[in-house]
Amino acid sequence: MKRVRPRAVLDLLTRISIIGIGLSLPVWLYLAELRPRIALHRTEKDLRALAAACDQALRSAEATEETRAQLDPAQAARLDLSLEIGRLPCKSYSALTEQLLSEGVSRHALAALNLSATSDPAYPDLRAVLVDADQLDAQLRVTSRLFDLTPLPLKEYLRDAKFRLGERLFFEPLLSGHGDRTCATCHVLALATVDGAALETHLDVSPEWLPGAPARNVPDLWNRDHNDVSTMLWDGRLQAVAAADEGGLELPEPLPTTGFENLMALQSVRPIFIPAEMLGEPGAGNVLVPEARGTPVPEAVLSRVASRLYKVDERGKETETYQRLFRKSYGVGAADEVRPAHLGNALAHYIEIAFQSRDTPWDRYLAGDLSALSADQKSGALIFYGIGRCAVCHAGDVFSDFGFHSVGVSDIREEKDLGRFYATGLAEDRFLFRTPPLRNVTLTAPYFHNGQGKTLSEAIQQHLNPYQFARAYAEGGEHLMGPAEIDAIAPILAPRSMITYAQVELLIAFLKSLEDRRAGNLSP
């Protein structure tokens, strides 16, 4: 047997070792260099997007901090929730960076990528943020819990006698002094209960019969039966300070509120006795106010309505007479038994049943249908409740706190609209207007109290930069906005907004989800 020399064995082992090292070197290089690079490349898009979203949220929170002391407690609480939602991407960013560090990615590489993603104030990487449906739904679950979001509560669509009476009154021209106007004249069904104009159209009456406030944009009628609705009109001259049955309804005119069921009932009869709205010029030819002397007394005007309506019954043109409808609804027979509250309550009953948001993607989503919203709408919802701080004022089921704020909308008219001041007479209430509800807002352009915002994009941009007209000049050479108007701008809007144009489009997508499927195609 041939004897193996020790040197040969050593050479063999050396060769095996060299081969082993050669084979393990690529593995070592992969673990040390390639694997971290591949991991970083694989997640770079998400990492950049999350870094940008987190940076935007943190900078926004820092800019907002100084304004918290100027907010009322309810607003401050909602602001805190918005900031918490805005920071949700920071948690995802931290989790992803920890995962990458465990895979060997260096802190230097992560820091460089973060700096690159957050250095552009336009945040271009935000376009890619949270495209994953599971992440969006998870963050919206947090949002829903924090803001206690639930589907809009609805009343049953029941066409009872009171509904039919209110419906007929809504389209009845005999509610106007000259028989030429109805509720539907301004609240056009084909236009989602607005009239599509910047400003309401007043009747041609003498200057003495014009209202004290300038003409305004016609408000919609959606969901006005909701318990959150505590004020009406842009300046809140109609308001509920307590329950209706406790005498808590207030309006500027001398009309007793006894018997009115809610604010909508009171508002429903108000245009009937306002000369510039439905009543018309008092005097000969005006059936509801034949005397031209003195201010029309609301109760006297409304007391003539039933007699006028009952005369229609005598002509035999309707199968279901007003007399029969009033009897079925309230148990009253003769015209002189019909009270103003009967008219208002019937109108309000029709309005609050007919104009409810019954079929919206947002409500279906909150009810558990996660497919009801698109990815853009979900992203827009997170911006609305989070970084956009929209829900600080547009709160609740109908998206309004029914408080009074200024978003810096300029008024180019000779007579400035003083807003809430007309209701309170307080100097600090000048230029403040009620927060408009947002359901079906995509159908009710133009926007703001004076119709200044032609599109929803313009309206949102106004909120993002309320000082844009502060130094602009009118045709006469004066500033569009005076110092008092600038000072009135809501403090929540004072910090510079960091919302990008792409995020504005996502906000509009979310607001589209508040649209009732049938709202744009209503018919009598």
Side-chain angles (χ1 to χ4, degrees):
M1 182 175 179
K2 188 175 181 180
R3 186 178 179 182
V4 178
R5 290 178 299 174
R7 184 174 183 80
V9 172
L10 182 61
D11 289 343
L12 179 62
L13 292 175
T14 300
R15 290 177 182 178
I16 292 173
S17 298
I18 292 173
I19 293 172
I21 292 172
L23 292 174
S24 63
L25 184 60
V27 176
W28 181 84
L29 287 173
Y30 169 76
L31 293 176
E33 294 290 338
L34 294 181
R35 182 188 176 196
R37 290 186 180 182
I38 292 173
L40 187 60
H41 177 74
R42 185 183 70 247
T43 59
E44 180 177 355
K45 184 178 179 180
D46 290 339
L47 192 66
R48 292 181 67 92
L50 289 170
C54 180
D55 183 72
Q56 185 189 42
L58 294 177
R59 291 191 190 187
S60 178
E62 182 180 2
T64 307
E65 187 61 36
E66 296 180 2
T67 69
R68 178 177 275 96
Q70 303 176 57
L71 305 179
D72 64 49
Q75 282 187 311
R78 291 194 291 267
L79 174 61
D80 289 338
L81 296 180
S82 291
L83 296 178
E84 183 174 347
I85 292 166
R87 287 192 292 265
L88 288 176
C90 295
K91 296 180 180 180
S92 300
Y93 176 72
S94 296
L96 185 56
T97 54
E98 289 299 321
Q99 174 190 330
L100 292 172
L101 287 171
S102 69
E103 295 180 21
V105 178
S106 70
R107 294 186 181 276
H108 175 76
L110 292 175
L113 191 146
N114 180 285
L115 180 62
S116 172
T118 59
S119 59
D120 186 343
Y123 294 116
D125 291 291
L126 281 174
R127 287 192 292 269
V129 72
L130 292 174
V131 294
D132 181 78
D134 290 338
Q135 290 186 57
L136 290 170
D137 291 328
Q139 295 200 10
L140 280 175
R141 281 194 294 272
V142 175
T143 302
S144 180
R145 175 176 56 80
L146 291 177
F147 275 94
D148 193 24
L149 303 177
T150 57
L152 182 72
L154 298 172
K155 293 180 179 177
E156 183 182 1
Y157 194 99
L158 181 64
R159 294 182 60 86
D160 58 9
K162 189 176 178 181
F163 177 94
R164 298 195 304 275
L165 173 59
E167 181 179 34
R168 189 170 166 193
L169 290 172
F170 190 84
F171 298 99
E172 179 57 78
L174 297 182
L175 296 188
S176 61
H178 294 280
D180 56 358
R181 270 199 165 194
T182 72
C183 301
T185 299
C186 292
H187 300 287
V188 184
L189 266 61
L191 297 175
T193 75
V194 297
D195 67 352
L199 301 172
E200 61 191 320
T201 302
H202 284 153
L203 289 173
D204 186 15
V205 295
S206 302
E208 63 184 296
W209 303 123
L210 291 173
R216 292 170 175 161
N217 184 251
V218 173
D220 66 82
L221 296 177
W222 294 98
N223 308 297
R224 290 304 185 265
D225 66 313
H226 197 281
N227 290 334
D228 286 350
V229 181
S230 57
T231 59
M232 286 198 175
L233 305 181
W234 283 102
D235 55 27
R237 279 173 289 165
L238 272 74
Q239 57 185 338
V241 295
D245 57 4
E246 297 175 1
L249 304 182
E250 296 183 353
L251 80 165
E253 291 82 17
L255 176 67
T257 63
T258 304
F260 285 92
E261 295 174 349
N262 50 40
L263 272 184
M264 189 69 248
L266 202 55
Q267 168 56 21
S268 294
V269 299
R270 191 170 176 273
I272 300 173
F273 58 76
I274 301 296
E277 295 193 33
M278 291 180 69
L279 183 59
E281 183 86 22
N286 192 321
V287 178
L288 297 181
V289 56
E291 299 293 333
R293 298 186 301 273
T295 302
V297 178
E299 200 163 10
V301 172
L302 295 171
S303 68
R304 296 187 179 99
V305 170
S307 297
R308 193 180 191 190
L309 296 175
Y310 276 33
K311 288 181 180 179
V312 176
D313 295 344
E314 297 171 2
R315 300 172 191 161
K317 292 184 178 180
E318 298 291 340
T319 56
E320 191 169 40
T321 65
Y322 274 116
Q323 186 172 4
R324 183 181 179 187
L325 287 170
F326 275 109
R327 184 184 298 113
K328 280 188 173 183
S329 300
Y330 303 110
V332 299
D336 58 8
E337 296 180 83
V338 176
R339 300 288 176 262
H342 294 144
L343 297 168
N345 292 338
L347 279 165
H349 184 66
Y350 164 69
I351 290 168
E352 61 197 27
I353 296 296
F355 306 130
Q356 291 186 99
S357 296
R358 294 185 173 275
D359 186 11
T360 74
W362 178 241
D363 291 302
R364 294 201 301 274
Y365 182 83
L366 293 180
D369 181 4
L370 300 186
S371 66
L373 299 186
S374 67
D376 281 355
Q377 289 174 325
K378 293 175 183 180
S379 297
L382 288 171
I383 295 169
F384 184 92
Y385 286 100
I387 189 71
R389 308 190 301 271
C390 310
V392 173
C393 295
H394 291 285
D397 294 332
V398 291
F399 296 86
S400 174
D401 62 357
F402 291 94
F404 300 88
H405 315 283
S406 169
V407 296
V409 178
S410 62
D411 201 330
I412 61 175
R413 294 177 289 180
E414 187 175 332
E415 180 185 1
K416 293 275 188 179
D417 193 331
L418 301 181
R420 180 66 171 157
F421 174 82
Y422 296 113
T424 67
L426 301 175
E428 58 265 32
D429 285 337
R430 290 182 300 169
F431 311 114
L432 305 186
F433 298 89
R434 189 195 65 171
T435 305
L438 295 182
R439 285 182 175 271
N440 293 315
V441 69
T442 48
L443 301 172
T444 57
Y447 305 103
F448 303 129
H449 65 279
N450 57 6
Q452 185 90 343
K454 300 299 185 293
T455 67
L456 202 50
S457 178
E458 286 182 20
I460 294 174
Q461 294 288 352
Q462 176 66 42
H463 287 73
L464 301 183
N465 183 15
Y467 299 95
Q468 58 186 308
F469 297 114
R471 294 181 179 84
Y473 291 93
E475 291 183 2
E478 69 278 7
H479 284 291
L480 277 176
M481 295 175 62
E485 291 174 89
I486 297 172
D487 291 343
I489 293 175
I492 189 64
L493 301 179
R496 183 178 66 85
S497 174
M498 298 175 186
I499 300 296
T500 67
Y501 180 78
Q503 288 176 311
V504 170
E505 294 301 307
L506 293 176
L507 277 173
I508 293 174
F510 167 65
L511 294 175
K512 185 75 174 176
S513 78
L514 306 182
E515 182 181 309
D516 189 326
R517 185 171 58 181
R518 67 192 179 89
N521 190 33
L522 296 174
S523 59

